[in-house]
Amino acid sequence: MTEESSSAPRKAKKTSLTAQRRSARGFALQALYQWHMAGQPVNEIEAQFRIDNDMSGTDVKLFREILQGVTHSKSDLDEAFQPFLDRGLHELDPVELAVLRIGSFELINRPEVPYRVAINESVDLAKIFGATDSHRYVNGILDKLAQRVRMVEIRGARGK
């Protein structure tokens, strides 16, 4: 390699849209956990996250949409997946609860996101942040919810 080529500035690698969205969900999970545990106003948490974290590779719009959407529709989201729980809502691990709320929010309010993507992304969050087998629990709950709220999409996918 010549000296000239080694000193040439490298192009910054652009983060894929999928990776940006995954990052947004990860930050949203952490922010929702903080909101749940500390009871801090969501706007303060959002501002803190934007200041304290490098969000250059993050879909910040999606981060905000999930954070604001989940906190504003918490009761409706909880009501949507609660029938599929095998224990009380208050008995859920706070990480599992946040993941279930994110997955439910995406299944119910983001129809442009395929149901499988919404479930898989939530399962991945549970694998990274949750307890050992929480991803299996999250998968089962969200799969049942998807059958209720995305029935047409699921039937269409099976019919192919």
Side-chain angles (χ1 to χ4, degrees), residues 41-142:
V42 72
N43 292 336
E44 286 179 21
I45 293 171
E46 181 181 350
Q48 178 187 349
F49 265 75
R50 287 177 179 237
I51 292 167
D52 293 348
N53 298 287
D54 175 11
M55 296 184 114
S56 60
T58 302
D59 182 339
V60 179
K61 184 180 173 197
L62 178 59
F63 164 73
R64 184 172 207 284
E65 181 183 349
I66 292 172
L67 183 59
Q68 295 290 329
V70 168
T71 56
H72 287 100
S73 58
K74 175 185 81 84
S75 297
D76 292 337
L77 297 173
D78 291 353
E79 194 176 294
F81 66 78
Q82 205 163 5
F84 310 115
L85 299 178
D86 63 354
R87 55 185 166 241
L89 199 63
H90 64 282
E91 295 176 60
L92 290 175
D93 174 84
V95 172
E96 281 179 351
L97 180 58
V99 170
L100 286 169
R101 286 175 174 161
I102 290 171
S104 298
F105 176 78
E106 291 210 87
L107 286 170
I108 295 168
N109 298 295
R110 299 193 68 231
E112 71 278 8
V113 176
Y115 79 96
R116 285 186 175 133
V117 172
I119 294 172
N120 288 339
E121 289 294 323
S122 295
V123 167
D124 286 347
L125 286 173
K127 285 179 181 176
I128 295 166
F129 296 101
T132 305
D133 283 334
S134 66
H135 67 280
R136 293 172 196 239
Y137 188 68
V138 164
N139 185 53
I141 301 300
L142 292 179

